[in-house]
Amino acid sequence: MSLTNEQLSFLKKIVDSSRVWIGEEIGEDYSHDELGGVSGYPDILIKVLSTEEIAAIMKYAYEQEIPVVVRGSGTGLVGAAVAIKGGIMLETTMMNHILELDEENLTVTVEPGVLLMELAKYAEDHQFLYPPDPGEKSATIGGNVSTNAGGMRAVKYGVTRDYVRGMTVVLPNGTIEHLGGKIVKNSSGYSLKDLLIGSEGTLAIITELILKLVPLPEKSVSLLIPYAKMEDAIGAVPEIIRLKSSPTAIEFMEREVICFAEEFLGKKFPDTKNPAYLLLTFDGNSEAQVEREYDKVAGYCLEHGALDVFLVDTPERKDAVWSARGAFLEAIKASTTEMDECDVVVPRNRIAEFIRYTHELAMKYDIRIPSFGHAGDGNLHIYICRDKLDEQVWKEKLEKVFEEMYEKAAEVGGAVSGEHGIGFAKKEYLREQIGEEQIRIMRGIKQVFDPKGLLNPGKVISGE
Amino acid sequence: MSLTNEQLSFLKKIVDSSRVWIGEEIGEDYSHDELGGVSGYPDILIKVLSTEEIAAIMKYAYEQEIPVVVRGSGTGLVGAAVAIKGGIMLETTMMNHILELDEENLTVTVEPGVLLMELAKYAEDHQFLYPPDPGEKSATIGGNVSTNAGGMRAVKYGVTRDYVRGMTVVLPNGTIEHLGGKIVKNSSGYSLKDLLIGSEGTLAIITELILKLVPLPEKSVSLLIPYAKMEDAIGAVPEIIRLKSSPTAIEFMEREVICFAEEFLGKKFPDTKNPAYLLLTFDGNSEAQVEREYDKVAGYCLEHGALDVFLVDTPERKDAVWSARGAFLEAIKASTTEMDECDVVVPRNRIAEFIRYTHELAMKYDIRIPSFGHAGDGNLHIYICRDKLDEQVWKEKLEKVFEEMYEKAAEVGGAVSGEHGIGFAKKEYLREQIGEEQIRIMRGIKQVFDPKGLLNPGKVISGE
């Protein structure tokens, strides 16, 4: 696809030219996402400002049959926001306004380009918590909703889906629709809102979001618990859950990955002497209650293989630990020449088995496969590192490793992606896992929303 | 539609005849639901036993183009489970087995015919809580999922949707599919699971469910708070929310409705001297924490118009209060000759305004409109009572009252149904509220799942 001069001039007329870039004016960043495995340039890049503007552009694109891709801050990992078919890229980062805090309905209304870290801070400043907490804080909320991002706190608080009360969207034909609202319950026809959550910009364009907040817990404490073996660490997780404690987060991390993060950030982690760690958080409204909860868990862990328990309760320690955790992806990326990722989610009592399997694959294919992730909710972030492999060998090994990994995920009752989505990169694994009938239904749904196939073409369930 | 003898014999061959009823053998109960406003008999009633059996029946029905309606225990209020086009009725109450409790993944796997009260008790017996708590405890879980039922605890815990991790379904063509699983996160293609939740049996047949549980809170206390006026009671709710307390439930009730329940149950309510009441519940894991929460709220209420605060903390008082609350619908029904209901959900800070409006409508049309409901989540249960009106006048008044009520709901940002669904009875109000484009999309989705229009025909978004 490449736009005609007439089409480009028309678009420049309906959008202020200071927010439009064409052809070679478009920066290299806009040709890929964070991971960089998928690439392609749009013909025209527009930094959009409003629902109405998006509707006008989409209406024109629909008439003219021009592909449209929406991009937030480009932190995706599966190529979902890459304009692989050219056309128009709508970039939402100027739609970054928090429009309303409604303390009576516990909602915040935002534009899709608000960054997660901005929303998190805004909520905290008003004594609220926006619970979803994906590692990548500079992602936009629109992107988080489009991938149903989960993050650290899913163990206790659930995922992004659980916090989307309402949305304004522009359909592929340019119509503006409102779904849900400031309402807590809804049983009024099929939930189009829930269908759009996680649909990676292939069904409609999200232009406004009504999100649920919860009161900010008054107390939050983390425990860093070292183990002699990763399997001991992860093996403890189902048992911690059995104790009927309610940790906010349970993360697992390997020494190697922590050391990468220390180097990457130039910042010390409280302890790196041990091969494996669990990082647990507990929150609540009274010190005594939180203490009682973590005491129970700490006691259990010490009796069952933990080497120590470090209390992470000062601002300095919290910062050291959580900033390291936040930097894992970047740190692993900096440790190698190229990498690709696997974001499977498995039942939490199968994580240990799955991680062991990745270690076996690393041996079998003689390739480095560091990982970290959300032990509490079964969502693993596994990185296959190219290091010094030559192109051909890397491609072959990567394909085989992926194949075996996704097969194993299916075998233990898992899914292809916990929170990063399918985008372009994971399409064949999705197809293999869910089978032809579900793919047929998803394609049918795509066809209903987008009969001309213009919105984010070639992604998720597209056959191309 | 009426089945040929050949079709009936075929079905009797694939299902044990002790579980099959044909024509006049079918009891009157199966011709309507709890409210009784919509009626129609199936040609054949089958009490199904398994996913495979349902798949075999559905496959045959698909080939032969026979309509199929699924029914749980028939407690619906909008005619969703009524066979208005005849055909096959599949009744799920013999599929009432709790298949697995998984304490490591915090899930319970059930057949769809398990009753809510059975599941609730089973969970509690194992020190877990299944949080969704709709008033009608003898509804099946399949029905709860099909309407995305909410219930009392939605303020703190959310609705049924938030507790469905996975499902096995039979598609209209007879294919068996698995959606989701024992996984906490999922970003693997469009969420068909979430599309089926609340789809009232029009897209697929749910044959197994994996539900999420939470640890049972150790302490739970309710407060019954009388007010001189309903508006004062409901007006307090947004302010209670502003206090950043987290009540599990906030119900409102009028004296008149409480008195109906007392009479209906033959059981005393702790207090009936006052015109209006709030009933709040708080739960948590320590007595001190729960006490601190309700103290704050009780103090606020007493300073802002509450006439008293009754602590509901003994088993006797809890039973008296909650059994009355559970009997409201039946009690109002017993107080009149016929009634119809409105289950709107509005933002919680617009409830007072909405209830006032229903009182105005009652005056304007000289008709009795008692109500009760979930003040904490904005979901109202409003009953328009026929009493002694003659048929013609009743129909006319009912239509006008409904029209104005649903218009008002839209005006304040609400939706047609909070948890009872659309079924047959509320189709035109849904259409008016969400508009042609969303109806077009929903019909398109229906067409993708069910190209022959056989599953629960004439419901939700059907044009017929």
Side-chain angles (χ1 to χ4, degrees):
Chain A
M1 176 78 201
S2 105
L3 273 68
T4 65
N5 284 336
E6 198 187 344
Q7 289 171 333
L8 293 171
S9 332
F10 183 89
L11 288 166
K12 281 183 108 164
K13 244 183 283 167
I14 59 173
V15 183
D16 185 273
S17 64
S18 67
R19 294 184 283 111
V20 176
W21 290 259
I22 290 177
E24 294 185 356
E25 297 165 15
I26 299 170
E28 192 267 344
D29 267 1
Y30 290 95
S31 70
H32 60 81
D33 65 11
E34 184 77 19
L35 205 60
V38 180
S39 60
Y41 279 88
D43 294 285
I44 179 170
L45 167 69
I46 302 174
K47 296 206 175 194
V48 283
L49 274 191
S50 71
T51 301
E52 292 66 32
E53 184 173 275
I54 292 172
I57 296 168
M58 197 66 235
K59 194 165 184 298
Y60 181 71
Y62 191 75
E63 279 165 22
Q64 301 282 315
E65 308 204 353
I66 307 168
V68 175
V69 176
V70 181
R71 178 184 158 110
S73 51
T75 61
L77 298 170
V78 291
V82 179
I84 56 171
K85 309 269 176 183
I88 301 168
M89 175 173 280
L90 303 180
E91 202 260 33
T92 62
T93 58
M94 289 178 77
M95 290 179 75
N96 63 348
H97 301 93
I98 295 175
L99 302 173
E100 187 204 18
L101 175 68
D102 182 338
E103 301 201 17
E104 294 181 340
N105 290 305
L106 296 186
T107 58
V108 61
T109 304
V110 301
E111 292 184 319
V114 170
L115 303 186
L116 175 60
M117 58 189 172
E118 293 166 347
L119 176 60
K121 183 171 183 320
Y122 178 88
E124 278 202 38
D125 287 347
H126 293 83
Q127 290 296 303
F128 288 105
L129 176 70
Y130 174 68
D133 187 31
E136 179 55 70
K137 313 300 179 203
S138 62
T140 62
I141 288 298
N144 275 194
V145 172
S146 296
T147 55
N148 188 25
M152 327 277 182
R153 301 195 192 107
V155 194
K156 178 167 178 178
Y157 288 106
V159 297
T160 300
R161 178 183 304 285
D162 304 311
Y163 294 87
V164 181
R165 287 262 188 255
M167 45 170 81
T168 301
V169 300
V170 171
L171 296 179
N173 62 14
T175 311
I176 299 169
E177 294 291 326
H178 303 281
L179 308 174
K182 288 183 179 177
I183 49 177
V184 174
K185 294 173 171 173
N186 202 351
S187 183
S188 309
Y190 309 151
S191 182
L192 302 182
K193 166 175 80 69
D194 280 283
L195 190 56
L196 295 188
I197 296 167
S199 68
E200 303 182 52
T202 61
L203 299 179
I205 303 172
I206 296 168
T207 65
E208 201 173 299
L209 287 160
I210 302 174
L211 303 169
K212 170 187 167 184
L213 299 174
V214 301
L216 187 66
E218 286 163 29
K219 185 79 190 164
S220 170
V221 170
S222 296
L223 301 181
L224 181 69
I225 309 184
Y227 284 86
K229 281 193 309 203
M230 180 50 79
E231 279 178 62
D232 295 349
I234 296 178
V237 174
E239 296 304 318
I240 291 171
I241 296 294
R242 266 183 189 276
L243 294 176
K244 302 208 163 92
S245 67
S246 288
T248 312
I250 311 179
E251 299 289 303
F252 75 90
M253 38 193 79
E254 305 178 292
R255 175 169 46 200
E256 186 198 14
V257 174
I258 296 172
C259 293
F260 291 149
E262 278 192 326
E263 205 180 305
F264 183 77
L265 293 171
K267 219 179 199 173
K268 276 282 164 206
F269 196 79
D271 182 76
T272 51
K273 286 194 299 292
N274 299 290
Y277 295 84
L278 286 184
L279 176 60
L280 289 98
T281 306
F282 297 86
D283 68 11
N285 281 332
S286 84
E287 188 139 353
Q289 175 215 341
V290 174
E291 206 174 297
R292 210 169 62 121
E293 276 217 55
Y294 74 67
D295 264 1
K296 183 167 69 172
V297 172
Y300 174 87
C301 291
L302 284 171
E303 279 167 28
H304 293 82
L307 302 175
D308 205 339
V309 170
F310 301 103
L311 203 59
V312 181
D313 58 349
T314 65
E316 297 72 35
R317 274 207 165 176
K318 278 188 191 179
D319 178 61
V321 167
W322 287 104
S323 64
R325 170 61 188 85
F328 282 172
L329 167 63
E330 288 292 331
I332 294 174
K333 206 172 151 191
S335 81
T336 187
T337 51
E338 190 180 345
M339 67 182 194
D340 208 338
E341 63 114 38
C342 169
D343 161 57
V344 290
V345 58
V346 301
R348 71 164 72 84
N349 62 354
R350 309 300 290 269
I351 308 175
E353 177 185 349
F354 198 89
I355 291 290
R356 195 184 323 127
Y357 188 75
T358 67
H359 292 166
E360 284 165 23
L361 287 177
M363 299 265 283
K364 177 172 171 187
Y365 290 104
D366 188 23
I367 194 164
R368 201 160 56 89
I369 311 185
S371 62
F372 61 90
H374 312 296
D377 58 44
N379 181 205
L380 309 172
H381 297 326
I382 300 163
Y383 296 86
I384 299 97
C385 295
R386 179 172 171 180
D387 295 344
K388 291 180 180 162
L389 295 176
D390 75 36
E391 179 81 15
Q392 183 65 18
V393 177
W394 159 240
K395 287 261 143 91
E396 280 170 22
K397 288 195 177 190
L398 183 65
E399 199 187 321
K400 282 182 189 155
V401 167
F402 269 160
E403 241 166 54
E404 297 199 30
M405 234 179 236
Y406 287 110
E407 210 170 284
K408 180 74 181 175
E411 186 196 312
V412 300
V416 174
S417 169
E419 56 179 352
H420 296 167
I422 300 303
F424 182 80
K426 306 297 176 190
K427 287 200 300 181
E428 67 176 276
Y429 306 112
L430 178 69
R431 200 150 51 227
E432 264 165 45
Q433 191 179 42
I434 67 177
E436 280 316 307
E437 191 65 17
Q438 288 184 43
I439 289 286
R440 177 191 71 76
I441 291 174
M442 290 184 191
R443 285 185 184 161
I445 290 170
K446 166 73 176 172
Q447 176 76 14
V448 169
F449 276 85
D450 186 15
K452 297 184 179 178
L454 300 173
L455 201 54
N456 208 3
K459 307 291 172 63
V460 188
I461 43 76
S462 166
E464 305 154 73
Chain B
M1 176 77 201
S2 103
L3 271 69
T4 65
N5 285 335
E6 198 188 342
Q7 288 171 334
L8 293 172
S9 331
F10 183 89
L11 289 166
K12 281 182 110 164
K13 244 182 286 169
I14 58 174
V15 183
D16 185 89
S17 65
S18 68
R19 295 185 281 110
V20 177
W21 291 259
I22 289 176
E24 293 185 355
E25 296 166 17
I26 299 170
E28 193 267 344
D29 267 2
Y30 290 94
S31 71
H32 60 80
D33 65 11
E34 183 78 19
L35 205 60
V38 180
S39 61
Y41 279 87
D43 294 286
I44 178 169
L45 167 68
I46 303 173
K47 295 206 177 194
V48 283
L49 274 190
S50 71
T51 301
E52 292 66 31
E53 184 173 274
I54 293 172
I57 297 168
M58 196 68 235
K59 194 164 185 295
Y60 181 69
Y62 191 76
E63 278 166 25
Q64 300 283 316
E65 308 204 353
I66 307 168
V68 175
V69 176
V70 182
R71 178 184 158 111
S73 51
T75 61
L77 298 169
V78 292
V82 179
I84 56 171
K85 310 268 176 184
I88 302 168
M89 176 173 281
L90 303 180
E91 204 260 32
T92 62
T93 58
M94 289 178 77
M95 291 180 73
N96 62 348
H97 301 94
I98 294 174
L99 303 172
E100 188 204 18
L101 175 68
D102 183 336
E103 300 201 18
E104 294 181 339
N105 290 305
L106 295 186
T107 57
V108 61
T109 304
V110 301
E111 291 184 320
V114 170
L115 304 186
L116 175 59
M117 57 189 173
E118 294 166 347
L119 176 60
K121 185 172 182 318
Y122 178 88
E124 278 201 37
D125 287 349
H126 293 82
Q127 291 296 305
F128 287 106
L129 176 70
Y130 174 68
D133 188 30
E136 179 56 69
K137 313 299 179 203
S138 61
T140 63
I141 288 298
N144 276 192
V145 172
S146 297
T147 55
N148 187 25
M152 326 279 184
R153 301 196 192 106
V155 192
K156 179 167 176 177
Y157 287 106
V159 297
T160 301
R161 177 182 306 284
D162 303 311
Y163 294 86
V164 181
R165 288 261 189 255
M167 46 170 83
T168 301
V169 300
V170 172
L171 296 180
N173 62 13
T175 312
I176 298 169
E177 293 291 327
H178 302 280
L179 309 174
K182 288 183 180 178
I183 48 177
V184 175
K185 293 173 171 174
N186 201 350
S187 183
S188 309
Y190 308 151
S191 183
L192 302 182
K193 167 175 79 70
D194 280 283
L195 190 56
L196 294 187
I197 296 168
S199 67
E200 303 182 52
T202 62
L203 299 179
I205 302 173
I206 296 169
T207 65
E208 201 172 299
L209 288 159
I210 301 173
L211 303 169
K212 168 187 167 183
L213 299 173
V214 301
L216 187 66
E218 286 163 28
K219 184 80 190 163
S220 168
V221 171
S222 296
L223 301 180
L224 180 69
I225 309 184
Y227 284 86
K229 283 191 308 198
M230 181 50 80
E231 280 179 60
D232 294 350
I234 297 178
V237 174
E239 295 304 317
I240 292 171
I241 297 294
R242 266 184 190 276
L243 293 176
K244 302 207 163 99
S245 67
S246 288
T248 311
I250 312 178
E251 299 290 301
F252 75 91
M253 37 192 81
E254 304 177 293
R255 174 167 49 196
E256 186 198 13
V257 174
I258 296 172
C259 293
F260 290 149
E262 279 192 327
E263 207 179 303
F264 183 79
L265 294 172
K267 216 178 200 173
K268 278 284 164 205
F269 196 79
D271 182 76
T272 52
K273 286 193 303 289
N274 299 290
Y277 295 84
L278 286 183
L279 176 61
L280 290 99
T281 305
F282 298 85
D283 68 12
N285 281 333
S286 85
E287 188 140 352
Q289 175 215 343
V290 173
E291 206 174 299
R292 211 169 60 123
E293 276 217 56
Y294 74 68
D295 265 0
K296 183 167 68 171
V297 172
Y300 174 87
C301 290
L302 284 171
E303 279 167 26
H304 294 81
L307 303 175
D308 205 338
V309 171
F310 301 103
L311 204 60
V312 181
D313 57 349
T314 66
E316 298 73 33
R317 273 206 166 176
K318 277 187 190 177
D319 177 62
V321 166
W322 286 103
S323 64
R325 171 60 189 85
F328 283 171
L329 168 62
E330 288 293 330
I332 294 175
K333 206 173 152 191
S335 82
T336 187
T337 52
E338 190 180 345
M339 67 182 196
D340 208 338
E341 63 112 42
C342 169
D343 161 58
V344 290
V345 57
V346 300
R348 71 163 70 84
N349 61 353
R350 309 300 291 271
I351 308 175
E353 176 184 349
F354 198 88
I355 292 290
R356 197 185 319 128
Y357 187 76
T358 66
H359 292 166
E360 284 165 22
L361 287 177
M363 297 266 282
K364 178 172 170 188
Y365 290 103
D366 189 21
I367 195 164
R368 202 161 55 89
I369 311 184
S371 62
F372 60 90
H374 312 296
D377 59 43
N379 182 205
L380 308 172
H381 297 326
I382 300 163
Y383 296 87
I384 300 99
C385 295
R386 178 171 170 183
D387 295 343
K388 293 180 178 158
L389 294 176
D390 74 33
E391 180 82 15
Q392 181 65 19
V393 177
W394 159 242
K395 289 259 143 92
E396 279 171 24
K397 286 193 178 190
L398 183 65
E399 198 188 322
K400 281 182 188 154
V401 166
F402 269 160
E403 241 167 55
E404 296 199 30
M405 233 177 236
Y406 286 110
E407 209 170 284
K408 180 74 182 177
E411 186 196 311
V412 300
V416 173
S417 170
E419 57 179 352
H420 295 166
I422 300 303
F424 181 80
K426 306 298 175 189
K427 287 200 299 180
E428 66 176 277
Y429 306 113
L430 178 68
R431 200 149 53 227
E432 265 165 42
Q433 191 180 43
I434 67 177
E436 280 316 308
E437 190 67 17
Q438 288 184 43
I439 289 286
R440 177 191 71 76
I441 290 174
M442 291 184 192
R443 286 186 182 159
I445 290 169
K446 166 72 175 170
Q447 175 77 17
V448 169
F449 276 84
D450 186 14
K452 297 184 179 178
L454 299 172
L455 199 55
N456 207 3
K459 306 293 171 59
V460 188
I461 42 76
S462 164
E464 306 155 73

